[in-house]
Structures are given as C-alpha cells and as structure tokens.
Amino acid sequence: MHDDRGLVEARLKRVLDERIRPAVYPESVPLEVAVWNAPGEPVPVEEGLAATPSPVAVGDRWGAPWGTSWFRVTGTVPEEWAGRTVEALLDLGFDENMPGFQCEGLVYRPDGTPVKGLNPRNQWVRIGAPVAGGEEVRLHIEAASNPVILDYHPFLPTQLGDKETAGSEPQYRLERMDLAVLDETVWQLVIDLEVLGELMAELPVESARRWDILRAVEKALDAVDLQNVGATAAAARGRLEEVLAAPAVPSAHRISAVGHAHIDSAWLWPLRETVRKVARTTSNMTALLEDEPDFVFAMSQAQQWAWVKEHRPEVWTRVKKAVADGRFVPAGGMWVESDTNMPGSEAMARQFVHGKRFFIDEFGVDNDEAWLPDTFGFAAGLPQIIKAAGSKWLLTQKISWSQTNKFPHHTFQWEGIDGTRIFTHFPPVDTYNCSMKGGEIAHAANNFKDKGVARHSLAPTGWGDGGGGTTREMVAKAARLRDLEGSATVVWEAPEKFFEKAEAEYPNAPVWVGELYLELHRATLTSQAKTKQGNRRSEHLLREAELWAATAAVRTEFTYPYEELDRLWKTVLLHQFHDILPGSSIAWVHREARKTYDAVAEELNGIIDAAQRALAGEGTTALAFNSAPHIRDGVPAGGARTPAIAGECTLVPRTDGGFVLDNGRLRIEVDERGLVVSAFDLAADRETLAPGQAANLLQIHPDFPNMWDAWDVDEFYRNTVTDLVEADEVVPGDDGVSVRIVRSFGASKVTQVLSLAPGEWRLDLDTEVDWHETEKFLKLAFPLDVHAERYASETQFGHFFRPTHTNTSWEAAKFEACNHRFVHLEEPGWGVAVVNDSTYGHDVTRTVREDGGTTTTVRVSLLRAPRFPDPETDQGVHRFRHALVPGAAIGDAVREGWRINLPERKVTGGAAEVAPLVTVAQDAVVVTALKLADDGSGDVVVRFHESRGGRSQATLTAGFDVGSVTVTDLLERPLPDAKAPDRDGNRLTLKLRPFELVTLRLHRA
C-alpha cells in the first residue's frame, strides 16, 4: 500500500481547524454588554454588582493595567432554540496561548452566586441543557485586566510589574459576547479526532495500530459533510467507534491523572490578585466536579484555601461540599509551596505545622504527601522534616528542568542528612500543566525511567496560575484514554491513591542520597536581597519572640501571644513562596514584601521587648539577653545576666600601609587597599589565607543569562571578573579599633568596617553597598589555605557536604549553591568558617598552587541587578554582616552562625539574672524552638537536634517543675512508638543520632 500518512494527517488538521471546530457552535446571537470600571483596587462583589455600568461594544478596548472592570451581559434565548444546549461565549480578549498570564474573569449571577471562571481555554458559561426558549440571561463578570508581563518576546524589562509605574493604557479588546447553541455531537467528534490524531502521531510508523487509526480517521472524514457538519457528525463518530473501543495492552503504562491548577501565590501578579485567581479556579473546579462524576481535583497550599474561606465565602461553601464528597482534595499539607533551600529549620517545619493543621481543623484531612511540583530544588534536610510532620511521600516536577544532567529515576526513595527516607515521585509527563494531549501521555510512558519494575506515574492535569484548572476537554480526553490500545491508561485519582499503588508495586525503589539540586535558577539564592534579609530577620525574631514570651509566661504574669504569633508565622511562611523569597516576582510583590517585613519586625520586637521587661522587672541593673542556643560572654543560652567580656583589641599601623588588628587570638593585616592579606591564628600558629592572596575581595561580574533573568546565572558569568581593589579610604573606624574602608565603582559605593571581637576567633565584616549597577553580580571572596575535597554548608537541622572539585558533570553543575548561616571547610584538626546574617548564594572552588598547596576560595554572593521581571531589582542601599572564623571546627561554625543572626539585647531591670527556661548541657545539641504549645494548654514545647553530624547524649534541664514528658511530632502530637527520655526530676537525658530531630512536650506540674 502506498504511504499516504501525510495526506490524511494534513487533511485531518485542516478539516478540524476550518470546519469541525467552528461547527461546535453553529448558531449565535450577540449579547448586550455594559461595563463599570472600579476605581483603584478591587471592590467587594456586592459593590461591583450594584454599580451602574455604561454601554460597551465588542471590539472596544478595556482595562488599565491591574484594573478591575465589571461587565454586565444581558440577552434573551431565541424561542427557536428550545430543546437545545445553549452557552454564553464570553471572550474578554484572550490569547489562548497564555492561560494564566493575562486577563481573567469570574462570572456571577445577579444574586452574587459565583458561576465559574473565564480563562483563555475556558470561555463558556452554560445557560441551559436543554433550554425552553425565551429565557432572559443576565450575568456579571468581574474581569481583571492583569497585564501580560511574560510576552512572546520574553524577559524584556517592563514597568507593567507595579501598579505605581504601569500607566493607564487599556490592555485588552472585547472579542466576543454571544449566546450560542452548543452542538454536543460535534464537540464529541472534535475530542474523538483529537485523541486519535494525537495518539496516531506518537505510534511507530510500522505499527498496525497506527494504520488502523489512520484508516478510521480517513473514513470518519469521508462521512463529514463539510457544508453541514452537524448533520453528519454522528455518522463520522460511528466510524471511529471500533478504534476507540480497542483496549490497552496489559503492559501499558498506568497514569493517575490528578485534576490540578498550580497557582503561584505571587509571581507576575501581586498577592491580592492570587486571592482572586484562586476564587476563579475553585469556582471552575467545583462546577466541573458537578458535571463530571469521575473527575478528582487536588489543590495544595493551605494559604490559598484560607483566602477562599476569608474572601469568597460563597465559593467556600461549594468547596467544602466537594471536599466532603471526597473529590476536591486538600493536598501537600504545607502553608504554601515554599522554596525549600532558603527557609530555616523552624520555618520549614512550620510550613507543615500550619498547612497540615489547617486541613485537619477544616476537613479532618491529614496529608501523607508533600506536594511541591514547581519548587527550585530541595534541601537535604527536608526528608526528616516531612517525616516529623507525620507525612511519608513527596511529589515534585521541577527537577525535569535541570540543564545538564538527567535525573536517573522517576520513583525513588530520597534519603536526607539524618538517614530518613521519603518515597518520592517525579512525574515523567514533565509538566504540572498536563492537558491530556497525546504527546504528553506518550512522553510520560516513554520517558518513565523505572520500566520493568514499576509502571505507575502521576499527571497533574489542568491549566495553572489562573488558567482555570482542568477543562471539560481534558476530562473528555481522559475518558477515551482510560483503556485505549497504543496509549498509557488514564484514571482520575487522588494523590493518596496514586502513592499507595506506586509504593506497593515498588517496595525496593532506588535511593538518592542528599539534596535534589536543580541545575537551573541558581540566582534565586541572591536576587532581591531585601526580601531575603526580611525572611532571615523574621525567622530569628520569631524564635526570640517565642523563647522570651514562653519564659515570661511561665515565670511571670505575662500573657503568651498565641494569636499574634500564629498570624505572624503565617505571614512569614507566605513570603517563603517559591517566587517571593527567591526574588523572581514583579516589583509590586517585593515592594509589598519589604513593607510587610518591616511591620512584622516592629510587632515582634514589641513582643520581645515586653517579655524581656517582664522578666527583668523594675531596676537599673544592665542585663544582656542571649537568644542564641549557646552560652555567650558568660550569658547562658536562653537566659540573661551581665556579660563577662575578657580581652581587648588593638589597632596599629601596618609597616607597608594599612593596619593590623590583634585581639590575642587572631592577628589581621589589612593593606592600604582595604584587603585582608593575613588572618593569622596565633594559637594554631597558622595562616588562614592562601599565599599572595587577599580576602575581603569584592568581585564584580557581568550578569546577563540566556533567559530567566531574575532566576538564572549561567556559568559563563565567571569568564569575566573585575576585582575591586581601589579604595577611596582606608582609615580607623569610629571606635578606634576597627578599620573603615570606602570604595567606589560604576555608579555604586561600598563602605565596610572590619573588626575583631574581644576574646574571639572571629573577624567581623560589616558591608554597606549603595548599589546602582545593572546586570552585574557582586561577590565577596575569601581565598583560604585549606586542602579540602568537600565543604559543609548549613541546611535545615544540620549541614550538608558538597565537593570542592568538579570530577563529574553533577559536581560541575553546582557552581552556585545554597547555605544558611555558615560554610565550613577543614583539614584534620583545623578548619575555617564563613558565617553570614542574611546571604544564601555562594560558590567554592579550588586550585593547586605552584608551591603544591591548595587554595580553596569561598565566595559569598551579595547582589545582582537583573531587569526582568523587576527592572529596578536591588537598586539602593544594602547592609550585610559576615565573619571569617579561622580555626573553626564544625561546632564553632554552628555557634558563630547563630551568634551573628541573634545579637544580644540589652535591658535594664531589677533582676540579677534570668535563668533559662530549659538548659541543654551539650553544645552539639541545638534548640531551634522553645515555646508554649499551640493548643493553649500552657505546656512547654522544646525542639532540638544534633548539629554536628555525630552521636550525642543530651541532658535537658527544665527551669520549672515538669509533670510529664511526651515525645511528639512537629504538630505537637504524641509519637506512640518514640522512646521516652530518661528522667531524674526535671532533668531529661536522651541519645541522639547524627542530625536527629526531636520535639518534646513538657507538661507543667
């Protein structure tokens, strides 16, 4: 037989595009339209419905950037349409290629009842099926004219990302406002032909199945009268019945489709718009659930559920019913789909505490899965947090975006730093916006890397980011793919059902140890420095507020601020969303974030001050409150007293220019350029810096990645570097024992103060940058005389080792990585730490010198200046604090990291001291949270972990009478199988494995 595939396939495409799809709505009449433009921010629904609109016509332009327009559409169903299915077609000016990234609408009835969302792929509203004829139609559309930020030419700088700079030019043009007859038989024919055409294209040319489909499609097209499609659609469908009825082979890959709409809690739109995106999507999905009995929809991010409850109670009622029916599924058990690299230990834990507790309290649902399809890589400390929250599974998708290496598994056990393993799935469909296209389904089956031992995968199905979620077309396609020869099988299932099947069939899944590093979006560790500093500052303020409020509540009449802390935690957790904390959102988002962090700091400082004053009492005694988990200057962890500072610092001129700082432990030489040319450990008789190298070296690179400006830094940025070695000033600091350095470069200026702390092995570097560069990357370098094949960087509840070499492509790809408070390198018996108060990105490289020694260079990432999506990213004044700690063991790195982030607070009072509420007699064991139990019982909750990667015996002594002790999960629920600590009165002793995390609930006697 002659090969006529191309002829039939081209015919199918043209007939579908030009004849069959247009025949889905064979008759239509225009609706009358009027509009009212809300002034300023969105108004309540009742106000929009009550407003008096003005006439507007199809073809008119509408919608200033970020504006809200209330359209009223009215009309009458023609009498002659009686008995037929009628829908309103409401096209606000959509581009079908941009679901979620442009205008959107939510349709209401006149009484304020929400009907469904309007989106580029979802423009219809059902009027009746069938209609009686003569019905009066009146609908209201709350339309958001969100501007297109990420356009066909992506990453162009734009002022549209902030309402303050976006202007007032109308963004859209009304395209269609009609009542139309829906020919359901033609609609079904379209789905039949799309499914078969897409499947056919994925089958091997030599397969009989491909030719069977080709001939059936040809016969169906022969049956279509192109001038009267509706009259012949049923006959055409009849010619496809046999090929659509052929069952899948027993070995077919099995896909669990989960209705999904991944909605970024902020990104190319502000937080307030996400509230409305969620309302539109949930309206759509509850409506679709009513129409499609097999469909199941899952939504993550408890914050988004809470928004619906608070702002759209009429939608919330429908959501609650759908949840009760078991078909609208709370997923993930986190407050938001957060970044997981940068949030601190407690913050990452509280994502699960607040997320899971919301779903438990509202619906009685306790999630077993973490759901993070779009997060930019996963920290090695996450598995034990998931387990400690009472969950056991993880889903992610983003690792498929890695540029260099293909991840070797789709289903696997992920092992974290403490040995905890979490059953993890990485959907081979390679999208969290699956639309049930044949190419996507075939890709999932072909791409699946665990063939032969497993055959289940998951497909998150639906348009996200305000695209409206799953469509009826996707559901119809899935129905045909349920059991179809040549295709993977598709069934709608909740995530829990998928994971149960996948885990049961794959009990010996392979193990991946350590972080899940995304080989892309590395610059998110640096972009929008003030957002990152706000997060770090807020995390530590929350620790302080809980610590001192709990101590004061137990010791005095102080009232523990349960509600305030709950609200503030949720605010901070929201801003850890994976496009806010990473710095990849529009200017509006980060402008608001800065204000929010300032407000959070003000409120938390108020709580801390009130609690500390309650503890200090009235008087004039100077007390230093130590919030860090280690003793400091004689002040115990979690206590207060007058500090005992031993030693002094000297500053003398250096022979060759510059200055020498000395505190009896370190001798620091700063040359006339303001560079540190020697950091000598006097006790170890050892130089820290590589010969001939200088630390405190600011370096600037060009920074213009190939795409994804705020997200990416490409490795070629290293090809060009400028060392900032010219100084405007190198003079003694105001205290007389520090060095002040001023540099100018480009349009920017840096002021630094270098100082030694009395009696400490620590050089403090305080850096202020007035930054006015564009598309530049600023680093701070420390070339160290250390031979180390690996280094440690802090992560949640411990640290993680990365190699300093680039033996393989996996190691070479990690040219920019994340740390929390410290980076640490060591040779046996001697090490160095670089600690920080607010930076995350860094790189570590090694070279071998001519003298045979190894130089290992640690570079801290300070600032970038991408122009998309915020063209003014990071412009302005920034302040960073770092410290170089020569001679540091890993425990010293841990201690100094806490110290720089939790400076002591000075309070005067009548008390000679404030004893800690809980004392831990082992420096390796770090308390990350000390608080009162969330249930208001007054119980004291203490969370701690082994911080050095070794085994440890911890002795905790409570500074109050303990009635009983319970080992709990993160949600403060008893762990029935946990071994209780040994107890002697108020003293508790227990043994910890490396990095083991423990939460104890101490019931007060």
Side-chain angles (χ1 to χ4, degrees):
M1 180 180 291
H2 298 297
D3 186 349
D4 60 350
R5 287 177 297 114
L7 193 67
V8 177
E9 291 165 3
R11 180 187 180 194
L12 171 62
K13 182 180 186 306
R14 185 176 185 193
V15 172
L16 263 176
D17 288 346
E18 297 184 23
R19 292 294 185 271
I20 302 179
R21 289 194 185 100
V24 169
Y25 291 103
E27 299 177 56
S28 64
V29 295
L31 289 160
E32 291 187 9
V33 190
V35 66
W36 175 74
N37 297 308
E41 285 295 278
V43 299
V45 172
E46 54 272 18
E47 184 176 342
L49 294 175
T52 302
S54 301
V56 67
V58 168
D60 288 350
R61 297 187 65 81
W62 70 277
W66 307 112
T68 301
S69 297
W70 282 85
F71 290 96
R72 185 188 67 196
V73 295
T74 56
T76 304
V77 176
E79 298 283 355
E80 59 269 25
W81 289 2
R84 305 173 77 179
T85 298
V86 175
E87 295 182 341
L89 301 181
L90 308 173
D91 186 344
L92 299 173
F94 295 124
D95 180 340
E96 289 194 358
N97 296 317
M98 291 187 180
F101 298 96
Q102 53 181 298
C103 58
E104 299 168 44
L106 182 53
V107 179
Y108 293 89
R109 296 188 179 92
D111 65 359
T113 304
V115 180
K116 65 187 294 289
L118 291 179
N119 313 93
R121 305 289 181 96
N122 208 327
Q123 303 175 19
W124 57 273
V125 175
R126 180 64 58 89
I127 302 301
V131 294
E135 292 96 332
E136 294 297 322
V137 175
R138 184 186 179 99
L139 298 171
H140 298 263
I141 308 166
E142 181 191 17
S145 50
N146 302 332
V148 175
I149 306 294
L150 190 64
D151 213 332
Y152 285 98
H153 187 160
F155 317 122
L156 290 179
T158 175
Q159 296 296 326
L160 290 171
D162 195 332
K163 193 172 185 178
E164 294 183 353
T165 61
S168 57
E169 183 71 19
Q171 299 292 295
Y172 298 99
R173 187 186 307 276
L174 282 184
E175 291 294 337
R176 185 174 188 181
M177 294 277 152
D178 288 347
L179 284 179
V181 172
L182 170 68
D183 189 323
E184 296 190 67
T185 304
V186 175
W187 185 86
Q188 295 286 358
L189 176 61
V190 170
I191 303 298
D192 290 344
L193 289 171
E194 286 182 350
V195 167
L196 290 171
E198 290 164 4
L199 173 59
M200 179 171 60
E202 299 300 325
L203 294 171
V205 173
E206 62 274 11
S207 72
R209 175 64 170 165
R210 177 162 181 161
W211 289 90
D212 288 345
I213 294 172
L214 185 81
R215 292 301 162 224
V217 166
E218 184 177 38
K219 292 175 182 176
L221 296 177
D222 289 343
V224 175
D225 181 342
L226 300 183
Q227 276 67 51
N228 194 356
V229 174
T232 53
R237 292 198 72 206
R239 298 189 178 187
L240 299 173
E241 287 178 354
E242 185 176 346
V243 287
L244 285 169
V249 298
S251 61
H253 185 69
R254 298 169 186 175
I255 293 176
S256 296
V258 178
H260 183 52
H262 172 76
I263 302 178
D264 287 318
S265 289
W267 179 29
L268 304 180
W269 47 86
L271 287 167
R272 67 90 154 145
E273 192 55 33
T274 314
V275 175
R276 302 201 296 174
K277 285 177 179 282
V278 174
R280 297 174 198 122
T281 299
T282 51
S283 294
N284 261 1
M285 294 302 92
T286 51
L288 189 62
L289 287 166
E290 293 172 0
D291 294 339
E292 301 290 349
D294 294 330
F295 176 55
V296 177
F297 181 78
M299 189 169 92
S300 65
Q301 307 193 71
Q303 171 68 88
Q304 296 188 359
W305 293 72
W307 279 333
V308 177
K309 181 181 180 182
E310 177 184 358
H311 296 284
R312 289 290 194 270
E314 65 281 1
V315 180
W316 180 248
T317 300
R318 292 166 56 179
V319 168
K320 285 181 67 176
K321 180 183 183 304
V323 173
D325 293 341
R327 299 177 57 217
F328 197 124
V329 182
M334 294 177 68
W335 191 246
V336 294
E337 289 182 15
S338 71
D339 180 82
T340 75
N341 286 311
M342 291 176 282
S345 303
E346 271 305 306
M348 201 72 253
R350 304 298 175 96
Q351 286 286 353
F352 288 91
V353 169
H354 287 283
K356 294 195 76 170
R357 188 171 285 146
F358 182 90
F359 291 144
I360 291 168
D361 291 347
E362 294 292 340
F363 307 114
V365 172
D366 189 355
N367 296 102
D368 283 324
E369 79 288 338
W371 183 275
L372 292 164
D374 192 31
T375 296
F376 309 152
F378 299 88
L382 187 58
Q384 75 163 327
I385 298 173
I386 294 173
K387 181 180 179 181
S391 297
K392 58 185 178 181
W393 301 317
L394 169 67
L395 177 134
T396 182
Q397 180 67 67
K398 201 72 170 190
I399 300 299
S400 68
W401 286 42
S402 283
Q403 287 180 317
T404 306
N405 299 284
K406 285 287 187 182
F407 197 76
H409 316 295
H410 281 106
T411 304
F412 57 99
Q413 294 280 357
W414 178 29
E415 181 177 318
I417 56 174
D418 74 317
T420 296
R421 292 181 177 179
I422 294 295
F423 187 79
T424 301
H425 182 63
F426 163 28
V429 71
D430 281 350
T431 177
Y432 42 80
N433 294 302
C434 177
S435 61
M436 284 292 135
K437 286 185 177 179
E440 294 171 335
I441 302 304
H443 179 72
N446 297 333
N447 187 41
F448 188 57
K449 290 184 168 56
D450 300 281
K451 298 182 186 74
V453 286
R455 63 175 56 167
H456 281 84
S457 72
L458 185 146
T461 303
W463 302 117
D465 285 331
T470 317
T471 66
R472 61 183 178 185
E473 289 79 10
M474 296 174 194
V475 176
K477 285 188 172 186
R480 289 156 174 80
L481 296 170
R482 187 178 183 91
D483 188 15
L484 183 62
E485 183 185 354
S487 172
T489 63
V490 176
V491 61
W492 294 106
E493 288 186 309
E496 179 183 23
K497 297 298 183 184
F498 160 75
F499 274 109
E500 287 174 349
K501 292 178 180 179
E503 194 170 30
E505 78 171 358
Y506 208 5
N508 298 310
V511 178
W512 181 270
V513 178
E515 67 182 334
L516 294 172
Y517 179 91
L518 177 63
E519 296 170 353
L520 193 72
H521 292 359
R522 302 167 181 89
T524 57
L525 303 173
T526 305
S527 298
Q528 297 287 0
K530 288 190 184 299
T531 299
K532 291 170 171 58
Q533 290 178 325
N535 174 73
R536 179 77 69 85
R537 183 185 185 196
S538 297
E539 288 181 350
H540 288 87
L541 286 172
L542 281 160
R543 170 197 169 82
E544 291 188 86
E546 288 183 337
L547 166 65
W548 300 119
T551 305
V554 172
R555 297 270 171 75
T556 74
E557 298 299 314
F558 186 81
T559 301
Y560 192 81
Y562 291 101
E563 292 183 4
E564 293 89 339
L565 289 171
D566 179 77
R567 171 175 46 79
L568 290 165
W569 262 116
K570 288 173 179 174
T571 299
V572 174
L573 297 177
L574 166 59
H575 286 79
Q576 291 179 339
F577 179 74
H578 65 251
D579 276 307
I580 303 178
L581 179 54
S584 46
S585 289
I586 55 174
W588 191 346
V589 174
H590 293 289
R591 172 171 57 81
E592 286 190 333
R594 291 190 291 271
K595 292 180 180 177
T596 298
Y597 283 130
D598 286 344
V600 166
E602 182 178 7
E603 191 168 354
L604 287 171
N605 278 314
I607 293 171
I608 294 163
D609 181 68
Q612 290 180 341
R613 291 191 180 281
L615 289 164
E618 296 295 328
T620 58
T621 302
L623 294 174
F625 280 77
N626 177 17
S627 303
H630 307 92
I631 190 171
R632 173 163 56 191
D633 299 331
V635 182
R641 66 173 56 152
T642 302
I645 301 175
E648 62 178 5
C649 301
T650 62
L651 178 73
V652 298
R654 182 170 172 267
T655 304
D656 298 328
F659 299 91
V660 178
L661 298 90
D662 195 318
N663 68 354
R665 294 188 170 184
L666 293 178
R667 185 175 66 243
I668 306 296
E669 295 188 34
V670 181
D671 70 6
E672 72 283 358
R673 303 170 298 171
L675 302 179
V676 177
V677 292
S678 175
F680 198 81
D681 181 344
L682 295 168
D685 191 30
R686 171 164 179 164
E687 176 59 58
T688 305
L689 304 183
Q693 300 290 304
N696 190 40
L697 175 63
L698 289 163
Q699 297 180 304
I700 197 162
H701 299 266
D703 185 17
F704 190 63
N706 288 345
M707 57 195 307
W708 297 109
D709 296 43
W711 295 256
D712 282 358
V713 56
D714 291 328
E715 191 171 14
F716 54 74
Y717 88 92
R718 290 178 169 177
N719 296 349
T720 305
V721 60
T722 300
D723 293 342
L724 304 180
V725 297
E726 300 296 326
D728 302 338
E729 292 181 16
V730 180
V731 297
D734 292 340
D735 59 3
V737 290
S738 60
V739 179
R740 181 173 180 269
I741 304 142
V742 179
R743 305 183 194 279
S744 300
F745 60 95
S748 302
K749 181 179 179 180
V750 175
T751 303
Q752 290 184 296
V753 176
L754 308 187
S755 60
L756 284 178
E760 300 288 345
W761 275 278
R762 185 179 76 246
L763 170 64
D764 290 321
L765 303 93
D766 195 320
T767 304
E768 182 178 280
V769 186
D770 188 3
W771 181 247
H772 298 284
E773 305 306 301
T774 299
E775 294 168 350
K776 296 288 193 294
F777 197 2
L778 184 65
K779 292 256 186 178
L780 178 63
F782 300 88
L784 307 173
D785 189 12
V786 177
H787 178 81
E789 293 184 356
R790 67 177 189 173
Y791 73 97
S793 62
E794 189 184 31
T795 189
Q796 293 98 1
F797 298 110
H799 56 265
F800 174 66
F801 290 103
R802 295 188 186 93
T804 59
H805 58 76
T806 54
N807 281 359
T808 71
S809 59
W810 294 87
E811 291 143 358
K814 295 183 180 182
F815 59 82
E816 184 79 4
C818 182
N819 68 287
H820 286 186
R821 287 166 292 221
F822 70 78
V823 169
H824 179 259
L825 303 94
E826 66 179 343
E827 297 173 359
W830 195 87
V832 186
V834 177
V835 302
N836 73 83
D837 78 334
S838 59
T839 55
Y840 297 92
H842 69 277
D843 68 87
V844 178
T845 55
R846 67 198 298 266
T847 58
V848 175
R849 307 186 298 267
E850 290 186 2
D851 66 3
T854 301
T855 299
T856 305
T857 301
V858 176
R859 297 199 308 161
V860 177
S861 303
L862 297 183
L863 289 165
R864 300 182 67 234
R867 300 182 66 210
F868 182 88
D870 176 4
E872 301 296 323
T873 301
D874 282 334
Q875 301 300 297
V877 177
H878 305 268
R879 185 177 178 188
F880 307 96
R881 297 177 64 229
H882 294 85
L884 178 69
V885 192
I890 191 70
D892 300 314
V894 174
R895 183 190 66 249
E896 295 299 337
W898 280 101
R899 175 194 284 261
I900 199 171
N901 282 274
L902 285 167
E904 65 186 15
R905 291 176 182 258
K906 302 287 182 62
V907 178
T908 57
E913 66 175 349
V914 176
L917 194 60
V918 172
T919 301
V920 181
Q922 166 56 274
D923 268 1
V925 177
V926 169
V927 173
T928 60
L930 184 60
K931 58 190 286 292
L932 295 193
D934 291 341
D935 62 6
S937 63
D939 294 345
V940 175
V941 173
V942 56
R943 185 155 31 251
F944 52 92
H945 72 285
E946 196 289 318
S947 67
R948 299 180 183 176
R951 294 184 180 271
S952 182
Q953 178 166 299
T955 300
L956 279 74
T957 303
F960 56 92
D961 289 335
V962 177
S964 61
V965 179
T966 305
V967 182
T968 74
D969 66 4
L970 294 179
L971 277 71
E972 301 166 11
R973 303 174 297 190
L975 291 175
D977 299 329
K979 182 181 182 300
D982 296 332
R983 182 176 175 189
D984 180 10
N986 294 333
R987 178 175 296 177
L988 311 173
T989 304
L990 64 168
K991 294 180 179 179
L992 275 69
R993 302 184 308 274
F995 300 128
E996 184 177 2
L997 168 63
V998 178
T999 304
L1000 296 181
R1001 183 170 182 146
L1002 310 180
H1003 310 273
R1004 291 153 63 189

